[in-house]
Amino acid sequence: MTTLNSPFWRTIDVARRAGYSVQQVRNLERDGVLPPAARTTAGYRVYGERHLWSALAYRALATATGPVEAKRIVRAVHERPAGEALALLDAAHARLDRERTDLALAEEAALAISKDPVEDVRPSDSMSVSELATALGVRPSTLRHWDAEGLAVPDRVPPRGVRRYAPAQVRDARIVHQLRGAGYRIAPLRALMPGLRSGRGREDVAAALAVRGTGIAVRSRALLDASVPLSRVLAPSVDDHSSAGWPLA
């Protein structure tokens, strides 16, 4: 029977301590998340400390970044210079930071922009597609897509039906821009915009953004949790087959 003092580990030992099934451990080895296991003369896999730390790092990273990026990071730890692997980790932290910033902007936009006064407007206050696209920092095709989806619908000026955005429609586009940047999908936005225009949908937006904020916090914590096993995998003293320093399940 394998114990915590055993020098070699079976597939099931790694699976139990990493929270995976035996097949999942084999799949992680196949995908390069775990280093290749040694084999006994009978052909059985033999794992060590480095394999478990790799599995634990991947488990946390999969929550933080998604499985595709998590595999990329852990494989880089095994196959690339340490600096390249750390750069990928830095990029994951930077993406979460940008998401937090975008979320804060969206929360401000949902509460403040929808209250912008739009009464007593003049024709000269309207904007063309190119003017609004420049102001928002998006492509004109993006505004046309939002028009087609009913999110920010401009007026059509005869005789050629040129798009012109009145102040209320500019406000709609600003709200859509901020909420899209915070991760809002088109379908939920299509349902929310009528309420936002009338002032009735702000609570729905605030609740949805709060859920997104919770999700970002969960991913941030998972990224923090990944740092311990990743540092152990990167440590030059880690032995692929030694159980010394093995974390308990």
Side-chain angles (χ1 to χ4, degrees):
M1 177 179 178
T2 304
T3 69
L4 287 174
N5 295 320
S6 301
F8 304 111
W9 293 80
R10 303 167 300 173
T11 308
I12 194 171
D13 299 318
V14 177
R16 286 171 175 169
R17 285 163 178 78
Y20 288 117
S21 68
V22 167
Q23 186 58 53
Q24 285 174 318
V25 171
R26 292 172 180 158
N27 292 344
L28 291 178
E29 182 186 350
R30 177 201 64 198
D31 294 340
V33 175
L34 306 186
R39 296 277 184 159
T40 67
T41 54
Y44 293 108
R45 287 177 173 86
V46 177
Y47 295 97
E49 182 182 4
R50 187 180 182 87
H51 297 95
L52 179 57
W53 288 120
S54 298
L56 291 173
Y58 171 76
R59 187 177 186 87
L61 285 171
T63 297
T65 68
V68 173
E69 183 64 15
K71 288 178 181 178
R72 184 183 177 205
I73 293 172
V74 181
R75 281 197 298 258
V77 169
H78 297 315
E79 301 169 1
R80 309 298 299 171
E84 293 185 23
L86 293 174
L88 292 175
L89 197 60
D90 289 344
H93 280 285
R95 284 193 296 272
L96 277 171
D97 181 63
R98 286 195 298 271
E99 287 188 38
R100 286 184 181 279
T101 299
D102 290 342
L103 180 64
L105 290 172
E107 290 170 340
E108 293 176 7
L111 294 176
I113 296 177
S114 60
K115 298 179 181 179
D116 284 353
V118 294
E119 296 82 6
D120 301 324
V121 298
R122 299 165 298 178
S124 59
D125 293 327
S126 63
M127 302 176 73
S128 68
V129 171
S130 60
E131 289 170 339
L132 182 55
T134 299
L136 294 178
V138 301
R139 296 179 179 179
S141 60
T142 299
L143 291 177
R144 295 187 186 100
H145 177 58
W146 293 349
D147 179 8
E149 294 289 348
L151 301 178
V153 181
D155 294 326
R156 296 298 186 116
V157 179
R160 293 186 299 168
V162 176
R163 291 178 173 87
R164 295 292 297 184
Y165 289 84
Q169 296 150 1
V170 171
R171 180 192 61 190
D172 288 349
R174 291 170 62 196
I175 294 173
V176 172
H177 181 234
Q178 295 291 357
L179 295 182
R180 286 288 288 159
Y184 242 95
R185 296 180 182 275
I186 291 293
L189 270 176
R190 194 187 301 116
L192 282 170
M193 285 308 294
L196 284 174
R197 293 187 187 102
S198 64
R200 296 191 305 271
R202 290 194 294 272
E203 291 184 1
D204 291 339
V205 172
L209 292 176
V211 170
R212 182 161 180 79
T214 299
I216 292 174
V218 168
R219 291 163 56 208
S220 294
R221 177 55 190 264
L223 199 55
L224 179 64
D225 291 342
S227 62
V228 172
L230 279 175
S231 66
R232 294 300 300 266
V233 175
L234 285 167
S237 60
V238 174
D239 188 343
D240 282 353
H241 303 296
S242 172
S243 64
W246 201 276
L248 298 180

mmCIF file of all heavy atoms in Angstrom, residues 71-98:
data_model
loop_
_atom_site.group_PDB
_atom_site.id
_atom_site.type_symbol
_atom_site.label_atom_id
_atom_site.label_comp_id
_atom_site.label_asym_id
_atom_site.label_seq_id
_atom_site.Cartn_x
_atom_site.Cartn_y
_atom_site.Cartn_z
ATOM 1 N N LYS A 71 -3.404 24.964 -19.603
ATOM 2 C CA LYS A 71 -2.493 23.973 -20.183
ATOM 3 C C LYS A 71 -1.279 24.650 -20.798
ATOM 4 O O LYS A 71 -0.147 24.165 -20.658
ATOM 5 C CB LYS A 71 -3.225 23.139 -21.236
ATOM 6 C CG LYS A 71 -4.232 22.164 -20.658
ATOM 7 C CD LYS A 71 -4.960 21.397 -21.753
ATOM 8 C CE LYS A 71 -5.986 20.441 -21.143
ATOM 9 N NZ LYS A 71 -6.754 19.704 -22.176
ATOM 10 N N ARG A 72 -1.511 25.757 -21.457
ATOM 11 C CA ARG A 72 -0.400 26.474 -22.086
ATOM 12 C C ARG A 72 0.622 26.918 -21.039
ATOM 13 O O ARG A 72 1.836 26.799 -21.246
ATOM 14 C CB ARG A 72 -0.956 27.680 -22.841
ATOM 15 C CG ARG A 72 0.098 28.463 -23.622
ATOM 16 C CD ARG A 72 -0.532 29.675 -24.268
ATOM 17 N NE ARG A 72 0.451 30.493 -24.966
ATOM 18 C CZ ARG A 72 0.316 31.787 -25.205
ATOM 19 N NH1 ARG A 72 -0.784 32.407 -24.797
ATOM 20 N NH2 ARG A 72 1.248 32.452 -25.844
ATOM 21 N N ILE A 73 0.135 27.439 -19.909
ATOM 22 C CA ILE A 73 1.040 27.931 -18.875
ATOM 23 C C ILE A 73 1.835 26.795 -18.248
ATOM 24 O O ILE A 73 3.063 26.876 -18.102
ATOM 25 C CB ILE A 73 0.252 28.701 -17.797
ATOM 26 C CG1 ILE A 73 -0.331 29.994 -18.378
ATOM 27 C CG2 ILE A 73 1.152 29.032 -16.600
ATOM 28 C CD1 ILE A 73 -1.281 30.722 -17.440
ATOM 29 N N VAL A 74 1.148 25.713 -17.876
ATOM 30 C CA VAL A 74 1.849 24.624 -17.188
ATOM 31 C C VAL A 74 2.814 23.919 -18.142
ATOM 32 O O VAL A 74 3.918 23.533 -17.750
ATOM 33 C CB VAL A 74 0.849 23.626 -16.565
ATOM 34 C CG1 VAL A 74 1.594 22.516 -15.841
ATOM 35 C CG2 VAL A 74 -0.077 24.340 -15.587
ATOM 36 N N ARG A 75 2.414 23.755 -19.396
ATOM 37 C CA ARG A 75 3.348 23.169 -20.365
ATOM 38 C C ARG A 75 4.590 24.038 -20.523
ATOM 39 O O ARG A 75 5.710 23.536 -20.657
ATOM 40 C CB ARG A 75 2.660 22.970 -21.719
ATOM 41 C CG ARG A 75 1.773 21.747 -21.780
ATOM 42 C CD ARG A 75 1.461 21.366 -23.227
ATOM 43 N NE ARG A 75 0.731 22.414 -23.921
ATOM 44 C CZ ARG A 75 -0.579 22.377 -24.153
ATOM 45 N NH1 ARG A 75 -1.294 21.338 -23.752
ATOM 46 N NH2 ARG A 75 -1.173 23.366 -24.797
ATOM 47 N N ALA A 76 4.383 25.362 -20.504
ATOM 48 C CA ALA A 76 5.524 26.266 -20.618
ATOM 49 C C ALA A 76 6.461 26.118 -19.425
ATOM 50 O O ALA A 76 7.687 26.203 -19.572
ATOM 51 C CB ALA A 76 5.043 27.718 -20.725
ATOM 52 N N VAL A 77 5.902 25.865 -18.252
ATOM 53 C CA VAL A 77 6.734 25.652 -17.060
ATOM 54 C C VAL A 77 7.640 24.441 -17.259
ATOM 55 O O VAL A 77 8.817 24.450 -16.859
ATOM 56 C CB VAL A 77 5.848 25.464 -15.814
ATOM 57 C CG1 VAL A 77 6.674 24.982 -14.621
ATOM 58 C CG2 VAL A 77 5.136 26.770 -15.464
ATOM 59 N N HIS A 78 7.126 23.402 -17.915
ATOM 60 C CA HIS A 78 7.907 22.183 -18.134
ATOM 61 C C HIS A 78 8.870 22.305 -19.312
ATOM 62 O O HIS A 78 9.966 21.738 -19.266
ATOM 63 C CB HIS A 78 6.971 21.002 -18.393
ATOM 64 C CG HIS A 78 6.079 20.674 -17.237
ATOM 65 N ND1 HIS A 78 6.534 20.608 -15.955
ATOM 66 C CD2 HIS A 78 4.746 20.387 -17.189
ATOM 67 C CE1 HIS A 78 5.521 20.302 -15.144
ATOM 68 N NE2 HIS A 78 4.427 20.169 -15.877
ATOM 69 N N GLU A 79 8.459 23.039 -20.348
ATOM 70 C CA GLU A 79 9.174 22.957 -21.620
ATOM 71 C C GLU A 79 9.966 24.197 -21.988
ATOM 72 O O GLU A 79 10.867 24.121 -22.835
ATOM 73 C CB GLU A 79 8.167 22.673 -22.751
ATOM 74 C CG GLU A 79 7.376 21.388 -22.554
ATOM 75 C CD GLU A 79 6.212 21.277 -23.533
ATOM 76 O OE1 GLU A 79 6.059 22.205 -24.372
ATOM 77 O OE2 GLU A 79 5.465 20.283 -23.466
ATOM 78 N N ARG A 80 9.647 25.351 -21.401
ATOM 79 C CA ARG A 80 10.266 26.601 -21.820
ATOM 80 C C ARG A 80 11.107 27.189 -20.688
ATOM 81 O O ARG A 80 10.978 26.779 -19.533
ATOM 82 C CB ARG A 80 9.187 27.608 -22.226
ATOM 83 C CG ARG A 80 8.164 27.104 -23.226
ATOM 84 C CD ARG A 80 8.812 26.720 -24.545
ATOM 85 N NE ARG A 80 9.473 27.854 -25.154
ATOM 86 C CZ ARG A 80 10.262 27.774 -26.210
ATOM 87 N NH1 ARG A 80 10.493 26.585 -26.772
ATOM 88 N NH2 ARG A 80 10.819 28.860 -26.717
ATOM 89 N N PRO A 81 11.947 28.175 -20.988
ATOM 90 C CA PRO A 81 12.668 28.871 -19.915
ATOM 91 C C PRO A 81 11.695 29.481 -18.915
ATOM 92 O O PRO A 81 10.577 29.873 -19.267
ATOM 93 C CB PRO A 81 13.453 29.960 -20.669
ATOM 94 C CG PRO A 81 13.601 29.426 -22.061
ATOM 95 C CD PRO A 81 12.354 28.646 -22.328
ATOM 96 N N ALA A 82 12.135 29.575 -17.664
ATOM 97 C CA ALA A 82 11.242 30.051 -16.604
ATOM 98 C C ALA A 82 10.677 31.428 -16.917
ATOM 99 O O ALA A 82 9.516 31.720 -16.610
ATOM 100 C CB ALA A 82 11.985 30.074 -15.269
ATOM 101 N N GLY A 83 11.472 32.284 -17.543
ATOM 102 C CA GLY A 83 10.993 33.631 -17.844
ATOM 103 C C GLY A 83 9.786 33.643 -18.764
ATOM 104 O O GLY A 83 8.887 34.476 -18.607
ATOM 105 N N GLU A 84 9.736 32.727 -19.714
ATOM 106 C CA GLU A 84 8.598 32.664 -20.635
ATOM 107 C C GLU A 84 7.335 32.208 -19.913
ATOM 108 O O GLU A 84 6.245 32.723 -20.164
ATOM 109 C CB GLU A 84 8.926 31.736 -21.797
ATOM 110 C CG GLU A 84 10.022 32.250 -22.711
ATOM 111 C CD GLU A 84 10.230 31.363 -23.916
ATOM 112 O OE1 GLU A 84 9.287 30.624 -24.284
ATOM 113 O OE2 GLU A 84 11.329 31.393 -24.500
ATOM 114 N N ALA A 85 7.474 31.230 -19.026
ATOM 115 C CA ALA A 85 6.321 30.767 -18.259
ATOM 116 C C ALA A 85 5.802 31.868 -17.339
ATOM 117 O O ALA A 85 4.587 32.076 -17.213
ATOM 118 C CB ALA A 85 6.694 29.529 -17.448
ATOM 119 N N LEU A 86 6.713 32.591 -16.700
ATOM 120 C CA LEU A 86 6.306 33.671 -15.808
ATOM 121 C C LEU A 86 5.650 34.805 -16.589
ATOM 122 O O LEU A 86 4.733 35.463 -16.082
ATOM 123 C CB LEU A 86 7.514 34.188 -15.031
ATOM 124 C CG LEU A 86 8.112 33.203 -14.018
ATOM 125 C CD1 LEU A 86 9.389 33.765 -13.425
ATOM 126 C CD2 LEU A 86 7.103 32.883 -12.922
ATOM 127 N N ALA A 87 6.085 35.029 -17.821
ATOM 128 C CA ALA A 87 5.451 36.062 -18.647
ATOM 129 C C ALA A 87 3.997 35.709 -18.942
ATOM 130 O O ALA A 87 3.123 36.590 -18.956
ATOM 131 C CB ALA A 87 6.236 36.240 -19.945
ATOM 132 N N LEU A 88 3.715 34.442 -19.190
ATOM 133 C CA LEU A 88 2.331 34.021 -19.412
ATOM 134 C C LEU A 88 1.486 34.234 -18.163
ATOM 135 O O LEU A 88 0.319 34.634 -18.241
ATOM 136 C CB LEU A 88 2.297 32.539 -19.812
ATOM 137 C CG LEU A 88 2.884 32.189 -21.178
ATOM 138 C CD1 LEU A 88 2.882 30.669 -21.363
ATOM 139 C CD2 LEU A 88 2.100 32.856 -22.299
ATOM 140 N N LEU A 89 2.089 33.980 -17.012
ATOM 141 C CA LEU A 89 1.369 34.187 -15.752
ATOM 142 C C LEU A 89 1.114 35.674 -15.519
ATOM 143 O O LEU A 89 0.023 36.069 -15.078
ATOM 144 C CB LEU A 89 2.175 33.594 -14.599
ATOM 145 C CG LEU A 89 1.442 33.350 -13.278
ATOM 146 C CD1 LEU A 89 0.293 32.374 -13.474
ATOM 147 C CD2 LEU A 89 2.405 32.831 -12.227
ATOM 148 N N ASP A 90 2.102 36.498 -15.823
ATOM 149 C CA ASP A 90 1.919 37.949 -15.701
ATOM 150 C C ASP A 90 0.783 38.423 -16.604
ATOM 151 O O ASP A 90 -0.011 39.294 -16.227
ATOM 152 C CB ASP A 90 3.208 38.678 -16.083
ATOM 153 C CG ASP A 90 4.313 38.498 -15.053
ATOM 154 O OD1 ASP A 90 4.003 38.087 -13.920
ATOM 155 O OD2 ASP A 90 5.483 38.759 -15.397
ATOM 156 N N ALA A 91 0.709 37.872 -17.813
ATOM 157 C CA ALA A 91 -0.346 38.259 -18.744
ATOM 158 C C ALA A 91 -1.723 37.890 -18.207
ATOM 159 O O ALA A 91 -2.695 38.633 -18.396
ATOM 160 C CB ALA A 91 -0.110 37.597 -20.100
ATOM 161 N N ALA A 92 -1.820 36.745 -17.523
ATOM 162 C CA ALA A 92 -3.102 36.338 -16.932
ATOM 163 C C ALA A 92 -3.523 37.325 -15.839
ATOM 164 O O ALA A 92 -4.698 37.701 -15.747
ATOM 165 C CB ALA A 92 -2.981 34.924 -16.360
ATOM 166 N N HIS A 93 -2.571 37.750 -15.015
ATOM 167 C CA HIS A 93 -2.871 38.760 -13.996
ATOM 168 C C HIS A 93 -3.312 40.066 -14.653
ATOM 169 O O HIS A 93 -4.262 40.717 -14.183
ATOM 170 C CB HIS A 93 -1.632 39.015 -13.135
ATOM 171 C CG HIS A 93 -1.396 37.990 -12.075
ATOM 172 N ND1 HIS A 93 -2.135 37.922 -10.911
ATOM 173 C CD2 HIS A 93 -0.492 36.970 -12.003
ATOM 174 C CE1 HIS A 93 -1.696 36.922 -10.168
ATOM 175 N NE2 HIS A 93 -0.719 36.324 -10.801
ATOM 176 N N ALA A 94 -2.631 40.461 -15.725
ATOM 177 C CA ALA A 94 -2.960 41.714 -16.404
ATOM 178 C C ALA A 94 -4.363 41.675 -16.996
ATOM 179 O O ALA A 94 -5.098 42.673 -16.955
ATOM 180 C CB ALA A 94 -1.933 42.001 -17.490
ATOM 181 N N ARG A 95 -4.751 40.520 -17.551
ATOM 182 C CA ARG A 95 -6.101 40.401 -18.125
ATOM 183 C C ARG A 95 -7.166 40.574 -17.052
ATOM 184 O O ARG A 95 -8.185 41.246 -17.265
ATOM 185 C CB ARG A 95 -6.259 39.059 -18.834
ATOM 186 C CG ARG A 95 -5.573 38.989 -20.183
ATOM 187 C CD ARG A 95 -6.030 37.767 -20.954
ATOM 188 N NE ARG A 95 -5.643 36.526 -20.293
ATOM 189 C CZ ARG A 95 -4.486 35.904 -20.468
ATOM 190 N NH1 ARG A 95 -3.580 36.417 -21.293
ATOM 191 N NH2 ARG A 95 -4.221 34.777 -19.846
ATOM 192 N N LEU A 96 -6.950 39.978 -15.894
ATOM 193 C CA LEU A 96 -7.913 40.133 -14.802
ATOM 194 C C LEU A 96 -7.979 41.583 -14.337
ATOM 195 O O LEU A 96 -9.057 42.089 -14.013
ATOM 196 C CB LEU A 96 -7.542 39.214 -13.630
ATOM 197 C CG LEU A 96 -8.022 37.769 -13.742
ATOM 198 C CD1 LEU A 96 -7.405 36.919 -12.637
ATOM 199 C CD2 LEU A 96 -9.538 37.697 -13.669
ATOM 200 N N ASP A 97 -6.836 42.248 -14.300
ATOM 201 C CA ASP A 97 -6.823 43.652 -13.901
ATOM 202 C C ASP A 97 -7.625 44.487 -14.895
ATOM 203 O O ASP A 97 -8.397 45.378 -14.496
ATOM 204 C CB ASP A 97 -5.378 44.149 -13.824
ATOM 205 C CG ASP A 97 -5.309 45.602 -13.376
ATOM 206 O OD1 ASP A 97 -5.719 45.903 -12.241
ATOM 207 O OD2 ASP A 97 -4.842 46.446 -14.171
ATOM 208 N N ARG A 98 -7.474 44.212 -16.189
ATOM 209 C CA ARG A 98 -8.242 44.953 -17.200
ATOM 210 C C ARG A 98 -9.737 44.681 -17.045
ATOM 211 O O ARG A 98 -10.562 45.587 -17.218
ATOM 212 C CB ARG A 98 -7.780 44.569 -18.603
ATOM 213 C CG ARG A 98 -6.427 45.159 -18.988
ATOM 214 C CD ARG A 98 -6.193 45.047 -20.480
ATOM 215 N NE ARG A 98 -6.171 43.658 -20.937
ATOM 216 C CZ ARG A 98 -5.080 42.902 -20.972
ATOM 217 N NH1 ARG A 98 -3.921 43.390 -20.572
ATOM 218 N NH2 ARG A 98 -5.133 41.657 -21.423
#
